[in-house]
Amino acid sequence: MDTSPVTEDAMPIFYVGQHEARRSLPVTDEILRQAQDCNYDMLTTPITTPYFNSRVLSLLSSHLAQSYNSSTSSLASPREQRLPIVPPLSPVDTTLTPSDTISQLVAVASPWIDICSPDPLVANVSQQVLNLEIAYAAFCGVGNVIIHGPHLRNGQTSTGLAVYARAVLEALNVGSYLQVQILLPISYSQDFDGDDEIGSLVPFAREKYIKANDYGTDKHELFASWDAWHVIRTVCKYHSRLFVALSLPAHLPPISIQSRWHSEPLRLLCMSSRSFLKDATGYPVLSRAHRLLISRYMRLRTAPWILLSDVGPIPGLNDPNAFIKPSDRFLGPTVAADPTTGASGGSPSPTPAEAAQQRQAGLENKRIKDPTPHLSYIRHLQRNQPTRSIIELFGSGYQDYLQAPLQPLTDNLESVTYEVFEKDPVKYNWYERAIQQALEDWTAQGKPSQCDGKVILAVVGAGRGPLVTRALQASEAACVPIEIYAVEKNPNAYVLLQRQNAYSWGNQVHVVKSDMRSWKGPSVISDRGLRKAKVDILVSELLGSFADNELSPECLDGVQHLLSTPHGISIPCSYTAHLTPVAAPRLHADIAQRAPADPSAAETPYVVMLHAIDFLSTFDTHSTSAQGGLKEPPKEPQPDVKLAWSFSHPIDSSMLENSALRHAGSADGGGGGLMGGDGVNEHNARYAGLRFGVKDRGVCHGLAGYFETVLYEGKDGRKVELSTNPVTMAEKSADMISWFPIYFPLKTPLYLPDNSELEISIWRQTDDRKVWYEWMVEAFVLLGAEKRVSLGGSDLHSSRKNGCLM
């Protein structure tokens, strides 16, 4: 659970840059200031000039001509060829130079190289060019470099892609401080091949190498671009300075592709004029699908920058003395209209008078031409982003931030930790509802009282007392008197509880300092004097991110002997743990960085606000509107979250009796526990074997864990429930913020092809001293309706070293 204070940060900030594929002028400080006056935040700059391009082309042409004269009919290996050497850069080869404003420039490596060319000559020359450019950009102090992605065309083979990935790794080593962005299309497109780039090296690939490496490629392969990225980042070992820059076309791919890229380290969203549509007035606008994608991506922990490519030059460069009005950051509804519907974000249709005003505004816009219409529209989107949800506000800045689970039995929590828990109104509202319903049912069902008509209620693990306050409020609302106890082992929280009792609760509460498992129980005054009594309603908030990971079963087992039978009530009365496989490359990279200092990092379950992830096993959620069967905007697929195991309280008394038999190695208790110890806690061990279908290829980096709990269920079937399961949370406890999911990482990511299956085995283990988890994953490919072939599996992971102490 995150213990940092909640901050209400502003709307996402859009950093917008301007890119020209064939920028004719060097980017000087004056040009940069002019761009900033027009409301751009940054500019791109080529590292080398067209002159350098022509020099490399001449070198390559000359070498090929010489090779042709001495060529043979056989294919020569690269080692048998004399490869040309690209000379170092000269002043005419580059306009880039160190300056105070270099940090506001994004350098672009030459798009005309072809590192993964099937011709080893072209590939070698391309690598030389890239290394020269990267080294010089790093020397100048550039912080960010864009490298155009591999050319996925004409049967691109994995061999060529591996060469490209290796070259990127070398670029990261050469530019030791550079942030490298690989420019890729969001999905494969023939338009992205780059073969038509002026001065491209692609046509120089010799026919004999093209034929030798031509295996054919499906031109409509949606995941080809992501596959290329996966090879690159795998070879680079999920490098912390390697990012992806996505090029967005006019028509976006299916939501499954968008979700996949959402989980990757995204740095740039690149949009050209072809990404935009035209509204009724001829103004450039984005489709609703594009707007939804941008809104979703801009909510990432580190929001991507937006790069407008070839949308027109920077205004005023030809006339430096001209006054250019900066782009308006807010546009009216006419400009913001969805071109497919003519309405702005679902707003009602305009009245005839409003329509006339809009038409007049459109005419005025045509007369007064906006010099940067694409930028103006992006600024409009910035101003009109949807408000953040309660969960987003609460977790702002802590998305995908790994945290070790709490150990409340061995550690005394700080006040600020309790304070974060108490910021969740949903959880405590639901607890109050559960207590009130339990009290009303207690009276309605005529259950006996042990204390002058009062119901004895105990809050165990009371912390700073929020549940005590809610229990008192529930008692008043239900008109059922209670005798209430607050049990807390934390000596610091105990002091605050006594102060709360004196100043807020009117000394109605019996405050007890004790571990709940050692508490002797309530005492009541009767005709025979002071005597021990049982607890009628036992209230606790011991649940962790995976329900049982903070030892709720063990704690409640230890205090169950104080619960009255057969009428005693436990709140919560049951809880279940749930799992689903996820792609989480950012979390994997974070854990890999921790591994040298912490060898057990990859075998530790983490509490984390999962955000930049992709669910691997999903159900489609297609929907249509009532009018004409038109499809609504695509919804995110629903994850397949499966039940792992469950716990309920109070447990059968025979289980506790059997546990007592095994205590201290009794002969009647058998030969000891399976994992060590006497086996006293073995009834709380669990195992689950789960199978998940994976429709689209992906990489499993770990498992996401959630829980559901029934706080109280009345005889009439009414339930008060909480859930962190993304499938049921909106229904059972929307906007609850107390718990983040748990994440079980894999040491080595597991690649899954299309139409594969994933089998998860997970254990909750115990040796009477601690509780830990073990997990492993196996992958299978489906061949036909019945045959499955194993693709391999992960190691058996165990968190025993970092288990939760009892």
Side-chain angles (χ1 to χ4, degrees):
M1 179 65 215
D2 173 34
T3 61
S4 300
V6 181
T7 58
E8 293 197 14
D9 46 338
M11 286 289 130
I13 298 175
F14 285 28
Y15 289 98
V16 186
Q18 189 255 14
H19 170 67
E20 294 180 31
R22 298 178 178 88
R23 198 181 293 279
S24 58
L25 297 174
V27 181
T28 62
D29 291 351
E30 291 74 17
I31 290 179
L32 183 60
R33 283 195 296 270
Q34 183 70 18
Q36 291 172 340
D37 287 343
C38 293
N39 221 357
Y40 284 109
D41 298 301
M42 56 191 166
L43 293 177
T44 64
T45 178
I47 300 174
T48 55
T49 63
Y51 179 83
F52 178 67
N53 179 211
S54 63
R55 195 153 65 88
V56 173
L57 290 177
S58 298
L59 175 68
L60 187 56
S61 299
S62 173
H63 183 84
L64 287 174
Q66 294 177 12
S67 300
Y68 178 78
N69 295 331
S70 58
S71 63
T72 62
S73 58
S74 61
L75 289 178
S77 68
R79 293 183 180 274
E80 296 171 342
Q81 301 179 32
R82 181 182 64 82
L83 298 174
I85 299 175
V86 179
L89 298 179
S90 63
V92 295
D93 292 326
T94 178
T95 60
L96 197 62
T97 185
S99 68
D100 294 337
T101 57
I102 196 75
S103 62
Q104 299 173 52
L105 299 179
V106 178
V108 182
S110 294
W112 42 265
I113 60 176
D114 187 13
I115 298 173
C116 57
S117 172
D119 190 328
L121 174 62
V122 174
N124 182 270
V125 171
S126 297
Q127 290 179 64
Q128 292 185 60
V129 170
L130 180 64
N131 283 352
L132 285 172
E133 293 185 332
I134 293 295
Y136 185 72
F139 165 77
C140 290
V142 170
N144 293 273
V145 173
I146 297 174
I147 301 177
H148 287 255
H151 299 294
L152 303 178
R153 86 290 182 221
N154 297 332
Q156 177 59 53
T157 66
S158 59
T159 303
L161 194 54
V163 171
Y164 178 93
R166 180 64 185 82
V168 172
L169 178 61
E170 184 60 25
L172 289 164
N173 294 331
V174 170
S176 54
Y177 298 100
L178 285 177
Q179 308 279 336
V180 175
Q181 288 94 50
I182 306 300
L183 179 60
L184 292 165
I186 191 170
S187 63
Y188 182 73
S189 169
Q190 185 70 26
D191 296 336
F192 195 77
D193 286 345
D195 298 43
D196 58 349
E197 179 71 35
I198 296 178
S200 175
L201 302 187
V202 172
F204 284 84
R206 289 165 286 185
E207 191 66 24
K208 59 183 180 181
Y209 292 103
I210 294 175
K211 289 181 178 179
N213 290 273
D214 190 1
Y215 299 104
T217 294
D218 183 1
K219 294 295 184 181
H220 301 287
E221 179 53 70
L222 291 174
F223 279 89
S225 185
W226 177 84
D227 277 334
W229 165 251
H230 173 60
V231 172
I232 296 165
R233 60 99 177 273
T234 301
V235 171
C236 296
K237 298 181 179 179
Y238 291 77
H239 204 290
S240 60
R241 291 186 287 109
L242 180 64
F243 302 90
V244 64
L246 277 189
S247 175
L248 302 182
H251 301 285
L252 293 177
I255 194 70
S256 58
I257 304 289
Q258 300 177 37
S259 296
R260 180 62 49 80
W261 287 116
H262 180 266
S263 68
E264 301 293 348
L266 185 61
R267 173 57 60 87
L268 280 171
L269 290 177
C270 304
M271 291 178 283
S272 69
S273 57
R274 290 180 293 180
S275 304
F276 290 78
L277 304 175
K278 298 287 186 180
D279 71 355
T281 65
Y283 205 92
V285 293
L286 290 172
S287 70
R288 187 177 185 189
H290 284 76
R291 300 201 303 270
L292 292 174
L293 178 142
I294 290 174
S295 294
R296 182 185 183 191
Y297 285 5
M298 296 308 288
R299 274 166 160 67
L300 288 167
R301 183 181 178 187
T302 303
W305 303 335
I306 294 176
L307 195 61
L308 296 177
S309 176
D310 295 324
V311 294
I314 299 170
L317 290 184
N318 296 327
D319 186 4
N321 296 320
F323 173 76
I324 303 297
K325 182 182 177 181
S327 296
D328 189 359
R329 289 178 178 265
F330 180 80
L331 301 181
T334 303
V335 176
D338 188 330
T340 60
T341 63
S344 176
S347 60
S349 300
T351 63
E354 291 172 338
Q357 291 176 356
Q358 291 177 6
R359 285 194 296 271
Q360 182 64 28
L363 293 175
E364 292 177 359
N365 285 338
K366 287 183 178 180
R367 287 195 294 266
I368 306 173
K369 185 174 178 60
D370 187 344
T372 56
H374 301 84
L375 175 60
S376 298
Y377 185 81
I378 293 298
R379 293 303 186 190
H380 161 75
L381 290 185
Q382 176 181 347
R383 282 291 191 88
N384 290 273
Q385 287 297 291
T387 56
R388 292 181 182 269
S389 67
I390 294 176
I391 295 177
E392 287 176 324
L393 288 172
F394 179 81
S396 178
Y398 291 91
Q399 300 146 327
D400 303 310
Y401 180 78
L402 297 169
Q403 303 170 84
L406 296 175
Q407 294 230 22
L409 290 188
T410 55
D411 300 331
N412 289 323
L413 303 182
E414 301 294 335
S415 179
V416 66
T417 306
Y418 290 118
E419 183 180 355
V420 172
F421 298 151
E422 295 165 15
K423 287 182 181 296
D424 188 347
V426 175
K427 178 177 74 172
Y428 292 107
N429 286 343
W430 264 234
Y431 261 99
E432 183 176 336
R433 282 176 51 191
I435 296 171
Q436 180 180 339
Q437 190 172 326
L439 289 172
E440 291 171 347
D441 288 351
W442 189 280
T443 302
Q445 294 166 17
K447 293 181 179 181
S449 169
Q450 309 171 66
C451 183
D452 297 330
K454 295 181 179 180
V455 176
I456 300 178
L457 185 148
V459 177
V460 290
R464 302 199 314 177
L467 283 181
V468 177
T469 300
R470 293 304 184 122
L472 292 171
Q473 293 175 184
S475 171
E476 183 178 353
C479 299
V480 177
I482 60 174
E483 191 77 8
I484 184 168
Y485 289 77
V487 182
E488 177 55 53
K489 73 174 183 62
N490 187 336
N492 305 308
Y494 174 66
V495 175
L496 184 59
L497 286 173
Q498 293 177 89
R499 182 172 289 112
Q500 287 268 70
N501 194 29
Y503 295 103
S504 300
W505 301 329
N507 290 312
Q508 300 179 72
V509 181
H510 302 278
V511 181
V512 181
K513 183 188 177 299
S514 173
D515 186 314
M516 68 184 73
R517 296 169 295 180
S518 304
W519 183 37
K520 303 303 181 182
S523 299
V524 297
I525 299 176
S526 65
D527 297 338
R528 302 177 182 179
L530 193 67
R531 64 177 179 84
K532 288 293 181 182
K534 296 290 186 178
V535 176
D536 296 322
I537 300 178
L538 190 70
V539 183
S540 64
E541 51 174 333
L542 305 171
L543 298 179
S545 296
F546 201 48
D548 54 79
N549 60 295
E550 292 182 10
L551 304 189
S552 176
E554 286 73 18
C555 291
L556 294 181
D557 283 355
V559 75
Q560 182 174 317
H561 68 283
L562 298 177
L563 193 63
S564 64
T565 55
H567 304 296
I569 296 171
S570 174
I571 297 176
C573 62
S574 66
Y575 38 88
T576 53
H578 303 255
L579 280 174
T580 190
V582 294
R586 299 189 188 201
L587 297 181
H588 176 77
D590 192 353
I591 293 171
Q593 288 183 339
R594 300 181 182 203
D598 181 9
S600 63
E603 295 186 278
T604 300
Y606 295 94
V607 173
V608 55
M609 183 181 180
L610 298 174
H611 189 67
I613 65 166
D614 186 26
F615 295 108
L616 295 172
S617 182
T618 60
F619 301 109
D620 290 333
T621 53
H622 297 303
S623 61
T624 57
S625 67
Q627 297 179 354
L630 296 176
K631 289 185 177 180
E632 295 179 358
K635 298 180 180 178
E636 295 182 38
Q638 178 177 295
D640 182 13
V641 183
K642 294 186 183 296
L643 170 68
W645 51 64
S646 63
F647 290 89
S648 61
H649 300 283
I651 64 173
D652 192 285
S653 59
S654 62
M655 296 181 69
L656 292 180
E657 292 170 1
N658 186 64
S659 176
L661 279 177
R662 307 185 74 170
H663 185 68
S666 166
D668 295 332
L674 294 177
M675 294 292 114
D678 299 328
V680 174
N681 193 42
E682 205 156 81
H683 63 285
N684 284 323
R686 294 290 189 274
Y687 164 76
L690 307 174
R691 179 181 295 185
F692 295 86
V694 178
K695 178 184 176 183
D696 298 317
R697 73 194 71 171
V699 177
C700 181
H701 295 96
L703 313 174
Y706 309 92
F707 79 87
E708 297 181 10
T709 180
V710 178
L711 295 179
Y712 178 74
E713 181 176 6
K715 294 295 184 181
D716 56 1
R718 291 184 301 160
K719 293 182 180 180
V720 181
E721 299 177 271
L722 300 176
S723 173
T724 65
N725 183 341
V727 178
T728 60
M729 183 175 179
E731 174 189 353
K732 296 182 177 181
S733 53
D735 296 327
M736 185 176 64
I737 56 179
S738 280
W739 292 276
F740 291 160
I742 199 166
Y743 176 69
F744 297 92
L746 297 183
K747 293 179 184 177
T748 305
L750 201 59
Y751 182 83
L752 305 168
D754 293 337
N755 300 315
S756 56
E757 282 189 346
L758 204 64
E759 288 195 1
I760 295 173
S761 298
I762 186 167
W763 296 260
R764 187 183 197 263
Q765 305 281 31
T766 178
D767 62 0
D768 298 344
R769 293 175 300 171
K770 66 170 64 173
V771 172
W772 69 94
Y773 297 96
E774 296 178 357
W775 64 96
M776 65 177 294
V777 176
E778 299 172 273
F780 300 86
V781 66
L782 303 179
L783 301 178
E786 300 179 356
K787 189 174 182 180
R788 293 198 314 160
V789 177
S790 175
L791 296 174
S794 70
D795 294 340
L796 176 64
H797 300 69
S798 175
S799 64
R800 187 168 191 167
K801 182 178 179 181
N802 298 312
C804 204
L805 297 174
M806 296 171 58

